Amino acid sequence: MVSIITTSTTTNAQNERRVELNRAGDFIAQEIRTAAKIVQDASVRSEQPIEFLSGISPDISQIQPVLMLRMAQTNLVPIVYYLATPPNGIWQGPKAIYRWGPAYDDQGAYINPDTPTQWTHEPLIDLIESEGSLPTCETNWVGSGTPGFYACVNATGEIAKVYQTGRINKVLAQTDTYRYSSTTAIRTLELAQTSGTPSRTTNSTACLLVMDEDSIDSDIPAIQDAALSKGISVNALINKNNPTQLGNPTFLWNTSYAGDIVTIPTGQTGDEGVFSLPQTLNGKNGPLSLNDFLAGNLPQADLDEVLDVQPLGNAQLNDLVGQSCTAIVYDSDISINVAPLQANLQGARLGRFNFTVQSIVSSSELSNLRIRVD
């Protein structure tokens, strides 16, 4: 009974922490998209507004600016996300992430955006780790922060990769960590991509995903409608009539009915349906060939405990807009373990699905993807 309770408590804490970090990451990413410019190095004191420095509460200590966003609405006075040691009370350490900037009204617009003396310092999320290894930024990118909260900004100040490492409190005073990261471009760069100019360079690798039944299944209305319009069964359209553990056959949807535009769900927070693959695959038995995984040739025994398969929240889903993706679709739910981040990729698959993400459609849960079948 003690073992069951301990496992249940730990699992619940991991899931809650993942949801909290995803929400905080989504909030930051949404504000990055509306920025006119991202300050490349937030640690440079001359870049930090006087009003920010003078308005810090004496109860907050060890201030470290990590991300600064210049907004057109604020006359380019930067909004500052920073790491600090919170005062004793409701906010828990070792660190917390704070935001200094204008508040929002009920419609999501800034209040007093041109009066920085009235901006406030507000905590965004607590239980942020203070120790660990620093992420590595790409060449010519500049990093600021600590292992708990870190940002890499590209040379033009148009793209930021933000990392958060949260502490998970387990039973018997034990702790664990969960790391969240997202890469976000300011909206002007995203618009340039959709207008036909060269795409942003957040990631030079292909868009390779894993999807489960929360996104692609025979009971999803948009997929049912697509099959009905063609006079075929929905199971045939997405290979649901022939799940396999060997090989990844391309969807009939791709080979015979490319060009469809549909909106598909992406699951919900804590039970996501879309996952990104790391550039290097490692399972419980060691390194895995990415090409063999895409071809469906890996033994089932090697597909457990695959590291760094990342469930996608709204911020990462938005980063897919404009990208042509290949997804390996599973016949059932994909199981994720949070700390360390591992996925069980065993089980039957429907096959390979190729599509281009055209836009994001808001939803009460995670955003839906509006895609073109390629």
Side-chain angles (χ1 to χ4, degrees), residues 70-331:
R70 297 191 184 278
M71 322 296 290
Q73 306 96 309
T74 66
N75 296 320
L76 300 184
V77 176
I79 292 170
V80 182
Y81 286 90
Y82 63 95
L83 198 67
T85 301
N88 293 329
I90 188 171
W91 300 103
Q92 302 180 65
K95 299 291 184 179
I97 297 173
Y98 289 78
R99 173 188 178 272
W100 177 77
Y104 290 90
D105 63 19
D106 292 340
Q107 305 301 315
Y110 287 140
I111 300 173
N112 298 324
D114 55 354
T115 313
T117 54
Q118 298 180 15
W119 294 359
T120 56
H121 295 258
E122 298 290 344
L124 181 65
I125 186 171
D126 61 353
L127 279 172
I128 298 298
E129 272 294 346
S130 59
E131 299 179 352
S133 58
L134 288 175
T136 301
C137 297
E138 298 180 39
T139 304
N140 296 326
W141 291 44
V142 174
S144 302
T146 72
F149 183 38
Y150 197 81
C152 297
V153 180
N154 76 331
T156 61
E158 295 172 319
I159 306 169
K161 187 162 189 176
V162 178
Y163 300 85
Q164 300 174 80
T165 302
R167 173 171 291 187
I168 300 170
N169 289 328
K170 302 165 65 176
V171 297
L172 301 178
Q174 299 181 69
T175 63
D176 212 331
T177 59
Y178 174 74
R179 172 170 283 188
Y180 167 97
S181 66
S182 65
T183 303
T184 309
I186 63 177
R187 182 173 295 167
T188 53
L189 190 56
E190 293 179 341
L191 292 175
Q193 180 174 346
T194 59
S195 64
T197 56
S199 62
R200 56 190 154 173
T201 58
T202 55
N203 194 340
S204 60
T205 61
C207 173
L208 300 178
L209 306 173
V210 176
M211 304 175 81
D212 67 17
E213 61 182 359
D214 291 313
S215 289
I216 302 293
D217 204 4
S218 56
D219 61 356
I220 293 174
I223 300 176
Q224 292 175 336
D225 291 345
L228 182 63
S229 69
K230 298 164 179 53
I232 63 172
S233 73
V234 64
N235 288 341
L237 189 68
I238 59 173
N239 296 358
K240 182 78 172 180
N241 53 359
N242 189 30
T244 179
Q245 293 186 5
L246 181 62
N248 284 317
T250 302
F251 276 16
L252 180 66
W253 209 353
N254 294 121
T255 58
S256 299
Y257 303 104
D260 275 0
I261 296 177
V262 295
T263 299
I264 60 173
T266 62
Q268 56 188 344
T269 302
D271 185 20
E272 295 84 356
V274 183
F275 308 80
S276 64
L277 288 170
Q279 296 181 29
T280 303
L281 289 182
N282 285 281
K284 65 181 298 183
N285 296 325
L288 305 173
S289 164
L290 181 59
N291 287 335
D292 284 342
F293 173 77
L294 296 175
N297 296 331
L298 292 175
Q300 287 287 306
D302 291 346
L303 293 174
D304 193 14
E305 299 180 11
V306 180
L307 294 172
D308 299 325
V309 177
Q310 175 74 52
L312 301 190
N314 283 335
Q316 298 99 327
L317 290 170
N318 195 82
D319 288 337
L320 297 178
V321 173
Q323 295 198 50
S324 294
C325 300
T326 292
I328 303 303
V329 182
Y330 278 71
D331 190 32

Side-chain angles (χ1 to χ4, degrees), residues 22 26 30 41 63 84 128 132 149 160 312 318-319 355 367:
N22 285 348
D26 288 348
Q30 290 293 343
D41 189 352
I63 310 299
I128 298 298
F149 183 38
L312 301 190
N318 195 82
D319 288 337
F355 58 89
S367 296

